[in-house]
Amino acid sequence: MAKNDNELDQISTTDKLKAFKALKDAGLRVEMSGSGVPTVICESAEQIAKDTKNVRKILKEIRYNGSFGVRAPRKTDSIVTEETVESVQMTA
């Protein structure tokens, strides 16, 4: 029984990575959450509904029927981006 459980975990991990790659290839900003769920980061909170429809369409095309997430940017996301831009400008 444990062997079958391990095989199922490997298959789902492979599917999640395939979904992650498909979303990334579609030009979306994607991250893997702590539980390994592909999560799309929207430009703003107002775009969540629109992006959710696009994500479902993309995942349906690759026959992925696992969990996924769509979220708005966090304050810490923008802080990291601003610091990165500043450090790039200083080195250029």
Side-chain angles (χ1 to χ4, degrees):
M1 200 68 158
K3 181 180 178 185
N4 290 337
D5 291 340
N6 288 337
E7 288 175 7
L8 289 175
D9 287 341
Q10 290 175 355
I11 291 169
S12 65
T13 301
T14 302
D15 288 343
K16 289 177 184 178
L17 292 174
K18 190 166 83 172
F20 178 84
K21 185 177 182 327
L23 293 169
K24 196 80 158 162
D25 290 344
L28 298 170
R29 189 169 154 201
V30 187
E31 70 178 10
M32 291 292 267
S33 68
S35 61
V37 175
T39 304
V40 175
I41 304 169
C42 302
E43 294 289 324
S44 65
E46 292 80 26
Q47 283 192 311
I48 290 177
K50 179 183 173 189
D51 286 351
T52 301
K53 288 179 185 179
N54 292 338
V55 170
R56 282 186 180 149
K57 182 180 174 186
I58 293 166
L59 295 179
K60 187 176 182 180
E61 289 173 1
I62 64 167
R63 297 183 181 179
Y64 175 78
N65 48 345
S67 300
F68 69 92
V70 179
R71 70 169 178 86
R74 297 182 183 130
K75 288 181 181 179
T76 56
D77 291 342
S78 63
I79 291 171
V80 170
T81 304
E82 290 170 5
E83 290 175 359
T84 306
V85 169
E86 289 175 8
S87 66
V88 169
Q89 289 175 348
M90 290 180 159
T91 60

